[in-house]
Amino acid sequence: AQSVTQLGSHVSVSEGALVLLRCNYSSSVPPYLFWYVQYPNQGLQLLLKYTTGATLVKGINGFEAEFKKSETSFHLTKPSAHMSDAAEYFCAVHTGGFKTIFGAGTRLFVKA
Amino acid sequence: GAVVSQHPSRVICKSGTSVKIECRSLDFQATTMFWYRQFPKQSLMLMATSNEGSKATYEQGVEKDKFLINHASLTLSTLTVTSAHPEDSSFYICSRTVDHNEQFFGPGTRLTVL
């Protein structure tokens, strides 16, 4: 069975600092991996996704993530945090069928 | 622009009443849509898969008689919370899938049961 683990329910960074949100997955077959962002009282919005091909994927708002099969990881990074990046971030995995499994989420705080 | 809409965005109701939430796919016919529930500061919990023209598939532990799902057309799925109680207060989100099961989410509906 597939699963997703997000390390750290809260991450706090200073504006301009590197953002690193960790995600590890478990899957017996090649997964599709996603990062979604959720702003307060809103639905989720896709940041980026990995399906096949290049393991470093770039998304919106300067975010990127690298699929590392050997580490079963899909960490999300952004070189320089902006105040507007403060939100909840969800890693998700899909391995077939209709269900997508979401991680517990990581809330990103950005300090001025 | 938004490809999945939800209505209403917020609803407050009295205990014992029923509430209907609509989810519309605006740009694509969706034979399958999903309903999630999200408690404060928690992740999304899949409640059910809504199938156009047939019965919804409910996740384990979700009461199908309490959370009625109707997917009567390719662009509309509805979730009715019957005889709502305060513990049903939550954020309800619907979605539909695209390629590789990337999901487009609706903006969510905040239900408060008094």
Side-chain angles (χ1 to χ4, degrees):
Chain A
Q2 58 268 35
S3 65
V4 178
T5 302
Q6 290 184 238
L7 297 177
S9 59
H10 297 84
V11 170
S12 182
V13 300
S14 298
E15 191 172 23
L18 171 72
V19 175
L20 171 61
L21 305 182
R22 300 178 185 274
C23 173
N24 288 87
Y25 69 92
S26 172
S27 174
S28 58
V29 299
Y32 297 145
L33 296 161
F34 308 88
W35 274 100
Y36 292 90
V37 60
Q38 184 181 32
Y39 298 99
N41 293 310
Q42 294 186 29
L44 278 68
Q45 177 185 3
L46 181 71
L47 271 180
L48 48 79
K49 64 181 179 183
Y50 169 78
T51 54
T52 59
T55 56
L56 180 63
V57 292
K58 296 184 184 298
I60 62 172
N61 302 337
F63 284 93
E64 61 182 39
E66 186 171 11
F67 169 58
K68 292 187 176 180
K69 184 178 178 180
S70 61
E71 299 178 7
T72 60
S73 69
F74 191 58
H75 301 331
L76 181 71
T77 61
K78 181 174 181 178
S80 178
H82 191 272
M83 297 297 288
S84 61
D85 294 326
E88 187 88 19
Y89 292 80
F90 293 95
C91 181
V93 61
H94 185 88
T95 57
F98 281 115
K99 294 183 184 179
T100 297
I101 305 299
F102 289 86
T106 298
R107 181 162 295 277
L108 175 65
F109 296 93
V110 182
K111 299 174 292 186
Chain B
V3 295
V4 177
S5 69
Q6 279 185 244
H7 177 80
S9 58
R10 292 176 180 270
V11 57
I12 301 173
C13 69
K14 294 182 179 180
S15 185
T17 60
S18 294
V19 175
K20 180 185 284 188
I21 302 170
E22 294 185 347
C23 176
R24 294 184 183 274
S25 177
L26 300 177
D27 66 335
F28 193 79
Q29 294 180 334
T31 56
T32 302
M33 300 178 82
F34 303 91
W35 286 97
Y36 293 87
R37 183 174 182 177
Q38 186 180 31
F39 291 103
K41 301 181 180 180
Q42 294 189 29
S43 188
L44 280 72
M45 180 191 80
L46 179 65
M47 299 175 66
T49 302
S50 174
N51 305 300
E52 188 270 335
S54 64
K55 293 181 180 180
T57 305
Y58 289 83
E59 295 300 300
Q60 189 173 8
V62 178
E63 299 176 63
K64 61 181 180 181
D65 294 331
K66 176 143 185 83
F67 298 101
L68 299 178
I69 290 173
N70 185 282
H71 195 151
S73 78
L74 287 169
T75 58
L76 174 64
S77 175
T78 60
L79 168 68
T80 301
V81 183
T82 62
S83 187
H85 289 90
E87 57 266 30
D88 299 323
S89 298
S90 192
F91 195 53
Y92 293 88
I93 307 175
C94 69
S95 75
R96 69 163 178 85
T97 57
V98 198
D99 295 338
H100 305 294
N101 283 284
E102 166 193 342
Q103 295 193 42
F104 283 137
F105 289 88
T109 297
R110 172 76 60 195
L111 170 63
T112 302
V113 184
L114 302 176

